[in-house]
Amino acid sequence: MDHELCLPEQAGDAAQTLFAALREALGAAAVLTGEDIPARNEKDWSTLSALRPLAVLRPTDTEGVAAGMRICAQHGVAVVPQGGLTGLCGGARPVEGAVALSLERMVGVEEIDPASATMTVRAGTPLQTVQQAADEAGFFIPLDLGARGSCAIGGNLSTNAGGNRVIRYGMAREMVLGLEVVLPDGSVVTNLNKMLKNNAGYDLKHLFIGSEGTLGIITRIVLRLFPKPGCTMAAVCAVESYDKLIALLNAARRGLGPLLSAFEVMWPDYWRTVTQRVPGVSNPLAGEHACYVLIEAQGMDEAFDAPRFETWLTRQMEAGVLADAALAQSLADVQAFWGVRDACAEFPQVLGPHESFDIGLPVAAMDQYVSACGAALRSRFANAVALFYGHIGDGNLHIVACVPGASAQPKEEIAGIVYSLVQQFGGTISAEHGIGLTKKAWLPYTRSEPELALMRRLKAALDPQNLLNPGKVV
Amino acid sequence: MDHELCLPEQAGDAAQTLFAALREALGAAAVLTGEDIPARNEKDWSTLSALRPLAVLRPTDTEGVAAGMRICAQHGVAVVPQGGLTGLCGGARPVEGAVALSLERMVGVEEIDPASATMTVRAGTPLQTVQQAADEAGFFIPLDLGARGSCAIGGNLSTNAGGNRVIRYGMAREMVLGLEVVLPDGSVVTNLNKMLKNNAGYDLKHLFIGSEGTLGIITRIVLRLFPKPGCTMAAVCAVESYDKLIALLNAARRGLGPLLSAFEVMWPDYWRTVTQRVPGVSNPLAGEHACYVLIEAQGMDEAFDAPRFETWLTRQMEAGVLADAALAQSLADVQAFWGVRDACAEFPQVLGPHESFDIGLPVAAMDQYVSACGAALRSRFANAVALFYGHIGDGNLHIVACVPGASAQPKEEIAGIVYSLVQQFGGTISAEHGIGLTKKAWLPYTRSEPELALMRRLKAALDPQNLLNPGKVV
């Protein structure tokens, strides 16, 4: 077993020397080895198997991260950064012979600056803690995802997390003003900028956001704070064609402007499955339609924004864009509408083993893709199930596919069909989950050789020894 | 004279060989040398002197840019990319012995995709042309600046242009989804992405946006299109303290939410100068106040948004936040209010020779900075004039300073006072204009040595021969 290679009693002198140097620099409590290594540090939420790291480092400050990185580099040992370990693509999963560097003890909000509307926070802080601190200070953190209680804000940035409200607030990247980062050589690059405008030299933060811990370890972050929404309006709508859906999207962009906070489309197979088979989900609409969409807007003042939303919806109905619509009359309605969209969390129970995909496509191509992908899957596997839904205003489509009754899901073959069509339609194989290990082989389906060469060149420039999260992404 | 070194009859065989190779690859019309070089390609809008480049290349397509770059690299000759040449810091100004590569013939909109709400455009296209094309397609390009008729969209991105509405739409960077770039070795990296969400590998575009043509030459761009604003509301307000100004800013963020499109603050010396000395500017307020602010919101529908704005303003007055306010009753009023803010364009006539600065500061520190900077300038030069105004919600402050009657403005000494205080207050020496050549010596006042080292490392990785816009920024 690979694991046993890493037990300290069997590890060679080199490992013992490394551990001693790390304990000397970081303190014994910050260096876990052998049986002391928690199982949680052996994997993330991907389907990859567990792998015990050589050691787990748990520094409590930036200097500790820098020292750990520097000492590992001196010993030629790789480092895998870990946050909340909720990633879906293996970005934080240990690799053979590497030390895991966990940010779990680098938690806490350092400062909230109401005038600049910024929060300075340590990278290991759970997203939910960040959200709550903003809320208590009278502000709002729009970044939100299912793993909010476990995921770390540093990990959210290293994967450039998305979520439901990207159409309004952008990706995690757009919510960051400043970063502190430890480079693979252990040097610390600090730019805790609070200004929306800062054009003094290269904007280095974007190099680290979304590069999945392969170029540097994010240790501190300056986040933008947003005003709390004053009210939320929502409707579920049905349309008779994808053309009408595009018309509805553009009408929402125009009529709701920057208040538009979600435009979540569900194709009929998805709609039928969740409304008929997921317990507790009720169907707010009657009949069968070409597409269903949950539209949400966040306003500042219900007195102005609720009538605006209703007027806008009525106009769409009168203009013949909508086949049917249900307007939320209460917060309970809003939650019930989101229940249809969030029912995808129940697919393991409802569908059994299945494959999930997080792809992106130009909006105009999406319905053609859905048809082509469903047909291709059913042509290869007669009884294939393929459900399509996603954040269509952002160009993000989720796919759930399976072959019911198969003794093992034909993972690679399904992925090959999904990603070959992504390539054909000019889309992306990862809209929000990243590449990590699990999608790396497919990356050439969506990025050209000159792009990949430039990524490798950046990796070599920042990490010439290939010691930081090696083998991930590029 | 330096220029004469570059005249073809005196240039050595090496230059003639280079010109021949360029003419062979690009055609004669794309390679201007000697007296055929237009004066406009010898400088930008900075105060730097003109310098004739070795040649001016004017390719008509990406392959031409790539060939020009490749051939120059083979000959060890540097290349300075040029767009509309409206930059204020010398980023596009030729350097000794370099070829200027002008994007002036790479113009035109290639595609507007209404479903994705994107425009694909060639980098040499003037910003105004881009704005008009969006308008004709029913969309809106929020990027706007005074040089709109001359500046090129590629140049806007290479400097990550700002402008008046950053508080709502972000910097130019935030308006870009995809880029095509020619690297210093002549290879072409194309990612004309149209999706808001795309996490497949490193996000390379941010490396080139804001790096002022030192890492690659932007050739094509996918821009986000926004819905056209349906209505514009504006007010000019006065407050009795900077604390009240911050309270007003936070009330605007909350009450106007993402409709807030400008929060332009003017300090009393600025206000007095423009309302009393600039012809055609009228003062919409009476009396003297601690700070003046122009607040603008862009709405979707006047029926809802105009009453909202007025209600919000009335509440601020009733809450004692405002000392005085004037609400625009017409588009003419909106324009008159902006006239006070835009009157800074008349400073050459009103003040005579003066120095202008574009700095950034944390919002909370701004008023202290204004006091400290004014005092320091007057302490050094008894009759110094210092006017302060800017996009305060974005952390961006503009300063105009001069010593009336001085035989020559003490440029370096004024800059030293301004930037030393920027350093002390944790600000930036460039909020939106970039670094180019003119601010390069001051860059260490705002970026640390590890940051500068990382910038140099990126430059070396992408441009190991230092042939693309050498000597700029880093």
Side-chain angles (χ1 to χ4, degrees):
Chain A
M1 248 181 79
D2 287 341
H3 283 183
E4 291 171 306
L5 288 174
C6 305
L7 292 180
E9 60 274 25
Q10 289 159 328
D13 287 350
Q16 294 303 332
T17 312
L18 170 66
F19 297 162
L22 290 169
R23 289 198 171 101
E24 160 116 29
L26 298 177
V31 186
L32 306 181
T33 59
E35 294 300 332
D36 292 339
I37 292 175
R40 73 179 288 275
N41 295 92
E42 296 181 356
K43 67 188 299 290
D44 59 8
W45 286 6
S46 71
T47 54
L48 295 168
S49 61
L51 179 70
R52 186 180 288 182
L54 189 61
V56 173
L57 301 189
R58 304 184 305 158
T60 54
D61 59 15
T62 302
E63 191 31 58
V65 176
M69 190 69 236
R70 201 161 46 232
I71 291 166
C72 288
Q74 281 159 2
H75 288 75
V77 169
V79 169
V80 176
Q82 294 187 332
L85 289 153
T86 60
L88 296 169
C89 299
R93 188 249 193 190
V95 297
E96 198 63 51
V99 162
L101 195 155
S102 170
L103 282 291
E104 67 197 72
R105 297 204 294 170
M106 289 187 52
V107 292
V109 173
E110 294 195 344
E111 188 205 45
I112 289 179
D113 178 342
S116 288
T118 57
M119 174 192 290
T120 308
V121 63
R122 298 192 189 106
T125 312
L127 175 58
Q128 196 161 33
T129 306
V130 173
Q131 292 171 334
Q132 284 166 354
D135 185 69
E136 284 161 21
F139 287 97
F140 178 61
I141 292 278
L143 184 65
D144 193 31
L145 48 153
R148 68 184 70 80
S150 313
C151 64
I153 184 70
N156 297 148
L157 295 192
S158 75
T159 50
N160 187 30
N164 287 335
R165 298 197 174 93
V166 170
I167 198 169
R168 170 153 175 182
Y169 297 99
M171 301 289 278
R173 180 187 301 284
E174 271 85 48
M175 303 170 195
V176 180
L177 293 176
L179 280 189
E180 180 181 74
V181 176
V182 173
L183 298 187
D185 63 6
S187 60
V188 181
V189 179
T190 305
N191 186 318
L192 296 175
N193 169 66
K194 290 182 180 180
M195 294 160 283
L196 288 189
K197 284 174 152 178
N198 188 345
N199 275 348
Y202 301 167
D203 192 333
L204 301 170
K205 64 178 179 287
H206 290 297
L207 202 56
F208 302 102
I209 300 170
S211 55
E212 305 185 41
T214 61
L215 299 179
I217 304 173
I218 296 170
T219 49
R220 290 194 292 169
I221 300 151
V222 180
L223 291 168
R224 278 184 80 166
L225 297 175
F226 291 79
K228 285 187 196 186
C231 56
T232 300
M233 292 74 63
V236 170
C237 307
V239 293
E240 293 317 358
S241 70
Y242 192 70
D243 284 349
K244 293 217 167 165
L245 188 84
I246 298 295
L248 183 64
L249 173 59
N250 275 325
R253 286 169 173 154
R254 275 195 306 273
L256 305 173
L259 308 186
L260 178 64
S261 53
F263 193 89
E264 301 291 310
V265 175
M266 293 154 273
W267 271 262
D269 284 349
Y270 174 96
W271 186 265
R272 232 178 353 253
T273 302
V274 300
T275 56
Q276 293 175 7
R277 295 176 60 188
V278 176
V281 171
S282 59
N283 187 345
L285 300 176
E288 291 264 328
H289 304 280
C291 267
Y292 304 84
V293 54
L294 167 59
I295 301 177
E296 186 195 80
Q298 291 180 337
M300 289 74 79
D301 187 333
E302 194 160 12
F304 296 103
D305 292 315
R308 174 212 303 278
F309 190 81
E310 190 167 349
T311 302
W312 174 82
L313 194 68
T314 305
R315 276 185 204 148
Q316 303 317 308
M317 190 63 93
E318 288 167 358
V321 178
L322 299 177
D324 197 3
L327 174 67
Q329 303 293 337
S330 64
L331 195 58
D333 281 353
V334 174
Q335 286 165 347
F337 291 175
W338 274 103
V340 186
R341 173 61 181 78
D342 292 339
C344 54
E346 304 304 319
F347 283 154
Q349 286 70 48
V350 171
L351 299 176
H354 64 274
E355 298 301 300
S356 300
F357 300 93
D358 157 49
I359 65 164
L361 291 158
V363 177
M366 220 168 260
D367 193 53
Q368 284 170 278
Y369 178 92
V370 167
S371 300
C373 186
L377 287 167
R378 284 186 296 271
S379 150
R380 176 64 191 83
F381 306 103
N383 65 333
V385 170
L387 310 181
F388 299 88
Y389 60 105
H391 320 293
I392 301 312
D394 313 330
N396 184 189
L397 184 69
H398 290 298
I399 308 171
V400 163
C402 60
V403 180
S407 59
Q409 288 298 310
K411 292 178 183 235
E412 291 297 304
E413 227 175 330
I414 293 176
I417 291 169
V418 167
Y419 292 140
S420 295
L421 284 164
V422 165
Q423 184 174 33
Q424 193 178 312
F425 281 84
T428 175
I429 62 158
S430 179
E432 53 185 4
H433 296 168
I435 297 298
L437 282 171
T438 61
K439 290 191 172 185
K440 192 177 156 186
W442 303 104
L443 193 53
Y445 280 60
T446 192
R447 304 297 294 265
S448 64
E449 181 47 36
E451 292 179 89
L452 297 171
L454 181 51
M455 291 182 208
R456 287 191 295 266
R457 207 199 292 200
L458 290 169
K459 172 69 174 170
L462 269 73
D463 186 15
Q465 291 183 271
N466 195 27
L467 288 177
L468 185 58
N469 221 3
K472 310 289 177 69
V473 187
V474 286
Chain B
M1 245 182 85
D2 287 339
H3 281 184
E4 291 171 305
L5 288 173
C6 303
L7 292 180
E9 59 273 24
Q10 288 159 329
D13 288 350
Q16 294 303 334
T17 312
L18 170 67
F19 298 162
L22 290 169
R23 289 199 172 100
E24 160 117 29
L26 299 176
V31 185
L32 305 181
T33 58
E35 294 300 333
D36 291 340
I37 293 176
R40 73 179 287 276
N41 296 92
E42 297 182 358
K43 66 187 302 288
D44 60 9
W45 285 7
S46 71
T47 54
L48 295 168
S49 61
L51 180 71
R52 187 180 288 181
L54 189 59
V56 173
L57 301 189
R58 304 185 303 159
T60 53
D61 59 16
T62 301
E63 191 31 57
V65 176
M69 189 69 236
R70 202 162 46 234
I71 291 166
C72 287
Q74 281 160 0
H75 287 75
V77 169
V79 170
V80 175
Q82 295 188 332
L85 289 152
T86 61
L88 296 170
C89 300
R93 189 250 194 189
V95 297
E96 198 62 51
V99 163
L101 194 155
S102 170
L103 282 291
E104 68 199 69
R105 295 204 295 170
M106 289 187 53
V107 292
V109 172
E110 294 195 344
E111 188 206 45
I112 289 179
D113 178 342
S116 289
T118 57
M119 174 193 291
T120 307
V121 63
R122 298 193 189 104
T125 312
L127 175 59
Q128 196 161 33
T129 306
V130 174
Q131 292 171 336
Q132 283 166 355
D135 186 68
E136 282 160 22
F139 288 97
F140 178 61
I141 292 276
L143 183 64
D144 193 31
L145 48 152
R148 68 185 72 78
S150 314
C151 63
I153 184 69
N156 297 148
L157 296 190
S158 74
T159 50
N160 186 30
N164 288 334
R165 298 198 174 92
V166 171
I167 198 168
R168 169 152 176 184
Y169 296 98
M171 302 289 279
R173 180 186 301 284
E174 271 86 48
M175 302 169 195
V176 180
L177 292 177
L179 280 189
E180 179 181 75
V181 176
V182 172
L183 298 187
D185 62 6
S187 60
V188 181
V189 179
T190 305
N191 186 317
L192 296 176
N193 169 67
K194 290 182 181 182
M195 296 160 282
L196 289 188
K197 286 174 150 177
N198 188 345
N199 275 349
Y202 302 166
D203 192 332
L204 301 170
K205 66 179 177 284
H206 290 297
L207 202 56
F208 302 102
I209 301 171
S211 55
E212 304 183 42
T214 61
L215 299 179
I217 304 173
I218 297 170
T219 48
R220 289 193 291 167
I221 301 151
V222 181
L223 291 168
R224 278 184 81 167
L225 296 175
F226 292 79
K228 285 187 195 185
C231 55
T232 300
M233 292 74 62
V236 169
C237 308
V239 293
E240 293 317 357
S241 70
Y242 193 70
D243 284 350
K244 292 217 166 162
L245 187 85
I246 298 295
L248 183 65
L249 173 59
N250 275 324
R253 285 168 173 154
R254 275 194 307 273
L256 305 174
L259 307 187
L260 178 63
S261 53
F263 194 89
E264 300 292 311
V265 176
M266 293 154 273
W267 272 263
D269 283 348
Y270 174 95
W271 186 264
R272 228 175 358 248
T273 302
V274 299
T275 56
Q276 293 175 7
R277 295 176 59 189
V278 177
V281 171
S282 60
N283 187 346
L285 300 176
E288 290 264 329
H289 303 280
C291 266
Y292 303 84
V293 53
L294 167 59
I295 302 177
E296 186 196 80
Q298 291 181 337
M300 289 74 77
D301 187 334
E302 193 159 13
F304 297 104
D305 292 313
R308 175 213 302 278
F309 190 81
E310 189 166 351
T311 302
W312 174 82
L313 194 68
T314 306
R315 276 186 203 147
Q316 303 317 309
M317 189 63 94
E318 289 166 357
V321 177
L322 298 178
D324 197 3
L327 174 67
Q329 303 293 337
S330 65
L331 194 59
D333 281 353
V334 173
Q335 285 164 347
F337 292 177
W338 273 104
V340 185
R341 172 61 180 78
D342 292 338
C344 54
E346 305 303 319
F347 283 154
Q349 285 70 48
V350 172
L351 299 176
H354 63 275
E355 298 299 300
S356 299
F357 299 93
D358 157 50
I359 66 164
L361 291 158
V363 178
M366 221 168 258
D367 193 52
Q368 284 170 278
Y369 177 92
V370 167
S371 300
C373 187
L377 287 167
R378 284 186 296 270
S379 149
R380 176 63 190 83
F381 306 103
N383 65 332
V385 170
L387 310 182
F388 299 89
Y389 60 104
H391 321 292
I392 300 313
D394 312 330
N396 185 187
L397 184 69
H398 291 297
I399 308 171
V400 163
C402 62
V403 180
S407 58
Q409 290 297 311
K411 290 178 184 236
E412 290 297 304
E413 226 176 331
I414 291 176
I417 291 169
V418 166
Y419 292 141
S420 296
L421 284 164
V422 165
Q423 185 175 32
Q424 192 179 314
F425 280 84
T428 175
I429 62 158
S430 178
E432 53 185 4
H433 296 168
I435 297 298
L437 282 171
T438 62
K439 290 190 172 185
K440 193 178 156 187
W442 303 103
L443 193 53
Y445 280 61
T446 194
R447 305 297 293 265
S448 65
E449 182 46 37
E451 292 178 89
L452 297 172
L454 181 51
M455 291 182 208
R456 287 190 295 264
R457 207 197 294 198
L458 290 169
K459 173 68 174 170
L462 268 74
D463 186 14
Q465 292 182 270
N466 195 29
L467 288 178
L468 185 57
N469 220 1
K472 310 288 177 71
V473 187
V474 288

